[in-house]
Amino acid sequence: MTVAAVDDCPEPMKSAKRAFHASLKLGTTKGVDRSRAVLAMAQALEQAFDDILEANTLDLEASREMAVPELILDWLKLTPSRLETTVEILQRLGEISDPLRRVRNADYQPEDSQSYSQLMPLGVIAFIYEAFPDLGAIAAGLCIKTGNSIILKGSTEASHSNAAIAEALQNAIVEVGLPAGCVELVTTEHGGSLRDLITQDQYINLVIPYGRSSLIQQVVRQATCPVLKSAMGNCYLYWSLNSSLEIVRWMILDSHESEPDPVNAIEKVLIHRQAMPSSLAVLWNSLKEKGFEIKGDAELVEAFPQLQLAKDNEWGNPYLTKTVAFKLVDSLDSAIAWINQYSSGHADSIATESYQESRQFALGVNSAATYINTSPRFSRNPSRGDSVFLGMSNQKGHRRGFISLETLTTLKHIIQGNGRF
C-alpha cells in the first residue's frame, strides 16, 4: 500500500531555506551589483506608490474596525511623504560605498604568517516588526547592501501594505539578476507561528525584533537564533542645577520629533531637588501647550496637585506617546543610579554646564549612547556621516547602539602563510 506524502513543513521553514540558499549566492556578489539592486528597489518602490497606498488604506480601515490602538494606527499609516523618505533612504544606501570585504588589521599574528580580517555578511536576517510597513523596505535595503538575505514578518494589521511593498522589492531583486529568495515575506496567511520562524537557527543567523517591548520580549523568550534587541522610548534626562530651562525644554521637544517611531524620545526627567519651582511650572506649561501630558512622582504631585501621578511601574516602561514624567533626585549620583535601574538603556541625556558632571554622567550611565546638552533625537538618515540606521539596540551582545550597515556584518579572520614550515 502506498501512502501519499504530506507536506507538513511550515511556510516559515520554507522561507528560511529559500533565504539561506539565496544568501550563499548573494554573499559572493560584487558591491556594485548589490548597490544596483538597492537602487532598483528604490525605483520599484517609487513606481508602486499608488498600489502601496491603496493597500495601506485597506489595512487602516480594517484596523479601525478592530479597534486597534491609536499608537499602532499612527505607526501603520503610510503617506506619500513617508514613502518618499523611504525611497530616499534606499537611494542613499545604493550610493554608499561597499561595507563588505574591508581589510582590517588583526591582533592575532602567528609566526611566519600574516593575519588580517574582513567584514563579511551574516547570512540570513529575520526582521520581525510591528506595523511600520515602510521599515520593512529599509531593513531589506540594509540587508541587500551588506550581502544578507532577509525574511520579513510584519504584524497582521499591516498585511496588505507589507505584501505590496515586498512584491515591489522582490520584482526589483529578480530584475537585476539576484535570487528571489533574497527577500522573503512570511505572513499569518501562510500558516506557521512566529515561533516557527525564530527557531530556524540552522538557516537564520540573526533576528531583529522592532516594536513595543512586549514583542521584543516574546522574541527573546522564544528564539533559538541570535537576537539583536531594538529599543524605543523610556529615555531619561537629568536636569542639573547647572543648566537652563531653555535647553531642557528644547531637548525634550526635539527628541519627540522623530515620529512616527519615537526611538530616542525623552519620556522621563530627573530634577535636582533644589530646582526652582517657578522654572518647573514654566516648563510644564510650555510642554502642555505643545500637547504633552505631564506626570510626576508622589513628592511633586503633593507640591503641584495639577500633575498626574506616575505609578511605580511606569518608570521602567516606555509611554511611546507625548507623555513625560518628572521625578526629584538628591544628586547626580542618585540620578545615575536611578537611570541604570529603570532606563531602557539605549539613549540617555544630561543638561549641565559642568564639565565634571558631564564626564561623570557619560561614564557612569550604563547606556549605549549618552547625550550632553543636545537632543537625543534619532535620525534614520542623518545628513552627516556615511551610514543609514535601522534603530537603536540596548543590549551588550552582538552589537550595541546604532543598528547600521556594519551591525549586519561579521568578521572573518584570514591567516596567510609564507610557505615556510
Side-chain angles (χ1 to χ4, degrees):
M1 185 174 68
T2 304
V3 179
V6 177
D7 183 9
D8 59 353
C9 180
E11 185 61 29
M13 181 179 289
K14 295 178 182 178
S15 290
K17 286 183 178 179
R18 288 193 295 266
F20 173 74
H21 291 298
S23 72
L24 298 179
K25 180 178 179 181
L26 182 61
T28 61
T29 55
K30 296 179 180 179
V32 64
D33 293 329
R34 283 180 273 110
S35 293
R36 189 159 53 90
V38 175
L39 291 173
M41 290 161 65
Q43 185 177 12
L45 205 64
E46 192 170 28
Q47 292 172 347
F49 267 23
D50 290 342
D51 292 337
I52 294 171
L53 291 173
E54 184 177 339
N56 187 245
T57 300
L58 294 176
D59 287 331
L60 288 169
E61 290 174 351
S63 295
R64 290 190 181 100
E65 290 178 2
M66 294 186 294
V68 170
E70 284 297 322
L71 172 67
I72 303 300
L73 288 176
D74 189 34
W75 289 0
L76 173 61
K77 185 179 180 180
L78 288 177
T79 62
S81 175
R82 288 185 183 178
L83 285 176
E84 286 165 6
T85 298
T86 304
V87 169
E88 290 171 3
I89 289 175
L90 290 176
Q91 289 172 337
R92 186 174 182 198
L93 279 172
E95 296 164 358
I96 291 175
S97 60
D98 184 13
L100 295 183
R101 301 184 183 89
R102 295 177 181 175
V103 176
R104 297 181 173 184
N105 291 328
D107 294 332
Y108 175 66
Q109 293 294 340
E111 190 175 356
D112 296 329
S113 298
Q114 182 180 5
S115 176
Y116 60 96
S117 59
Q118 290 184 238
L119 289 179
M120 303 293 289
L122 287 170
V124 179
I125 295 173
F127 184 55
I128 318 295
Y129 53 117
E130 188 175 24
F132 298 118
D134 49 328
L135 208 54
I138 296 171
L142 285 161
C143 285
I144 298 300
K145 183 72 177 184
T146 50
N148 296 293
S149 293
I150 185 170
I151 303 173
L152 299 170
K153 182 167 177 57
S155 55
T156 306
E157 294 87 355
S159 57
H160 294 93
S161 307
N162 293 336
I165 289 174
E167 183 180 3
L169 301 179
Q170 289 167 338
N171 290 339
I173 289 292
V174 173
E175 286 179 7
V176 298
L178 293 182
C182 289
V183 178
E184 287 283 326
L185 176 69
V186 174
T187 68
T188 51
E189 288 78 11
H190 288 154
S193 64
L194 173 62
R195 186 192 294 270
D196 290 328
L197 176 62
I198 60 180
T199 53
Q200 301 300 322
D201 49 275
Q202 68 271 48
Y203 302 117
I204 297 175
N205 301 97
L206 183 68
V207 177
I208 304 177
Y210 194 97
R212 290 176 292 185
S213 57
S214 56
L215 170 68
I216 310 298
Q217 294 308 315
Q218 179 186 359
V219 172
V220 170
R221 286 194 305 268
Q222 297 181 353
T224 58
C225 311
V227 178
L228 178 63
K229 295 189 297 182
S230 61
M232 281 196 293
N234 209 42
C235 298
Y236 273 75
L237 164 66
Y238 172 61
W239 181 3
S240 165
L241 289 175
N242 298 307
S243 186
S244 66
L245 164 67
E246 289 74 19
I247 192 168
V248 169
R249 177 182 178 276
W250 170 76
M251 289 172 68
I252 295 172
L253 291 176
D254 191 75
S255 72
H256 282 261
E257 289 299 312
S258 58
E259 295 177 335
D261 46 344
V263 178
N264 288 2
I266 295 172
E267 297 184 341
K268 310 292 174 8
V269 179
L270 302 180
I271 311 165
H272 195 285
R273 190 174 302 281
Q274 296 176 6
M276 295 291 290
S278 58
S279 296
L280 298 180
V282 170
L283 175 62
W284 295 335
N285 290 334
S286 178
L287 292 176
K288 286 180 179 178
E289 289 175 1
K290 296 293 184 179
F292 282 80
E293 183 179 349
I294 308 300
K295 295 189 175 186
D297 65 358
E299 193 173 349
L300 282 172
V301 170
E302 185 177 356
F304 301 92
Q306 70 270 28
L307 294 178
Q308 272 189 270
L309 178 64
K311 299 177 182 178
D312 290 344
N313 65 345
E314 294 181 26
W315 298 105
N317 293 304
Y319 294 123
L320 303 179
T321 59
K322 296 179 75 171
T323 302
V324 182
F326 292 79
K327 178 179 177 59
L328 294 176
V329 292
D330 294 321
S331 64
L332 175 57
D333 288 332
S334 300
I336 291 173
W338 185 271
I339 290 171
N340 287 341
Q341 182 173 356
Y342 293 103
S343 164
S344 56
H346 69 277
D348 294 293
S349 54
I350 182 174
T352 180
E353 295 301 320
S354 166
Y355 175 76
Q356 182 177 351
E357 280 190 338
S358 69
R359 291 298 297 161
Q360 183 180 347
F361 183 88
L363 297 176
V365 169
N366 187 23
S367 300
T370 53
Y371 295 77
I372 302 166
N373 295 326
T374 190
S375 166
R377 178 180 178 180
F378 176 79
S379 176
R380 191 159 278 121
N381 185 21
S383 57
R384 298 172 61 184
D386 191 25
S387 192
V388 169
F389 304 104
L390 183 62
M392 290 281 288
S393 174
N394 58 358
Q395 72 182 47
K396 294 181 179 178
H398 172 65
R399 293 288 169 86
R400 193 183 188 203
F402 293 94
I403 301 175
S404 63
L405 289 168
E406 188 168 324
T407 308
L408 307 183
T409 64
T410 187
L411 277 178
K412 173 180 280 190
H413 295 278
I414 301 169
I415 297 92
Q416 175 69 53
N418 58 12
R420 298 170 62 183
F421 51 89

